[in-house]
Amino acid sequence: MSTKTAQDDKIRARFSHMGLVVKDIEMMEDFYTNTIGFERTDGGMTTQGVIMIFMTLDPEEHHQVFLVEGRPDELPSNTIVKGGGPSIHHLAFRLESLSDLRKMYKRISDEYDAKIFTGTHGNCWTMYTTDPEGNGIEFFADTPWYVTQPFLKPMDFNMDEETLIEATEALVSVAPGFTTLQDFYKDLHERVPARESVLT
Ligand SMILES: [Fe+2]
């Protein structure tokens, strides 16, 4: 097959949304809208009597997360990681800055008693926790760097911001593949086309 044919056959798919089956849809809507900041775009009951809620953080997507009732009371655990989810590993949310990530860390630690892990993947600072029904969630904010993945080192988000940035740079600057995030995305832009706005 020539390169030209391969290009013509290429179907451009973009990730849009995911659906979560939930037990307590009001509690879950409250968490995703009030704690994380999703905007509810639609919702209601189907003719079969099932409640569905649509929400987004992106003005160009009707919904990114869809909640629907019906989760069983008990689900089996991950077969390797004890206590881990059986199918959803985590949903991840990009935050604007390290300072926003530290605010979210404080909000989650003050308002919930869920376990929290904080660290860096080198290309971002990250915080793993769970939503009120135990689905894994991650909040992250970009660092200015890139390193070969997987890379994960624990970090204490109670350190002041300047110390945290310096400690991260010391860790990542000696890691394999170390470069700037800008260089990584420059290369990625050549491999994955940008989307067009719905408004143009
Ligand atoms: Fe992730």
Side-chain angles (χ1 to χ4, degrees):
M1 188 185 282
S2 75
T3 314
K4 173 127 194 352
T5 313
Q7 281 300 324
D8 287 348
D9 283 351
K10 199 166 176 183
I11 294 173
R12 289 176 177 177
R14 292 192 181 281
F15 185 76
S16 161
H17 60 269
M18 73 163 303
L20 272 182
V21 183
V22 305
K23 268 191 279 194
D24 184 337
I25 202 157
E26 276 179 30
M27 173 182 78
M28 290 292 272
E29 181 187 359
D30 179 66
F31 178 79
Y32 280 85
T33 54
N34 293 325
T35 301
I36 300 185
F38 273 84
E39 177 73 16
R40 176 182 164 132
T41 47
D42 270 308
M45 193 178 280
T46 66
T47 48
Q48 293 159 310
V50 184
I51 297 177
M52 295 175 167
I53 292 167
F54 302 83
M55 52 180 78
T56 193
L57 290 164
D58 181 346
E60 308 232 327
E61 285 284 358
H62 171 268
H63 60 286
Q64 294 176 302
V65 167
F66 160 80
L67 303 180
V68 60
E69 293 179 301
R71 176 172 160 145
D73 283 340
E74 292 298 327
L75 284 179
S77 182
N78 182 296
T79 58
I80 299 169
V81 181
K82 216 167 177 249
S87 59
I88 293 167
H89 189 277
H90 65 284
L91 314 183
F93 302 98
R94 175 188 293 282
L95 304 186
E96 278 292 305
S97 60
L98 177 58
S99 133
D100 276 5
L101 183 60
R102 280 155 50 93
K103 275 189 223 158
M104 186 61 88
Y105 169 66
K106 187 162 180 352
R107 181 180 296 176
I108 300 277
S109 22
D110 287 352
E111 294 176 15
Y112 300 92
D113 60 1
K115 271 195 206 155
I116 300 177
F117 170 89
T118 54
T120 181
H121 283 300
N123 56 7
C124 65
W125 289 282
T126 185
M127 158 183 158
Y128 289 97
T129 183
T130 50
D131 73 14
E133 291 196 353
N135 300 302
I137 49 173
E138 175 187 16
F139 298 98
F140 69 93
D142 282 349
T143 68
W145 310 293
Y146 167 83
V147 296
T148 303
Q149 300 297 314
F151 177 97
L152 180 60
K153 302 278 182 203
M155 301 205 85
D156 180 2
F157 281 5
N158 294 307
M159 282 194 269
D160 70 78
E161 204 164 310
E162 207 176 310
T163 314
L164 197 51
I165 294 169
E166 281 169 14
T168 310
E169 187 167 16
L171 283 173
V172 300
S173 57
V174 292
F178 175 67
T179 183
T180 64
L181 199 64
Q182 218 177 9
D183 276 353
F184 171 78
Y185 279 111
K186 219 167 119 188
D187 177 62
L188 192 60
H189 269 254
E190 283 165 22
R191 288 150 49 198
V192 181
R195 71 173 293 186
E196 275 175 40
S197 168
V198 293
L199 299 178
T200 53

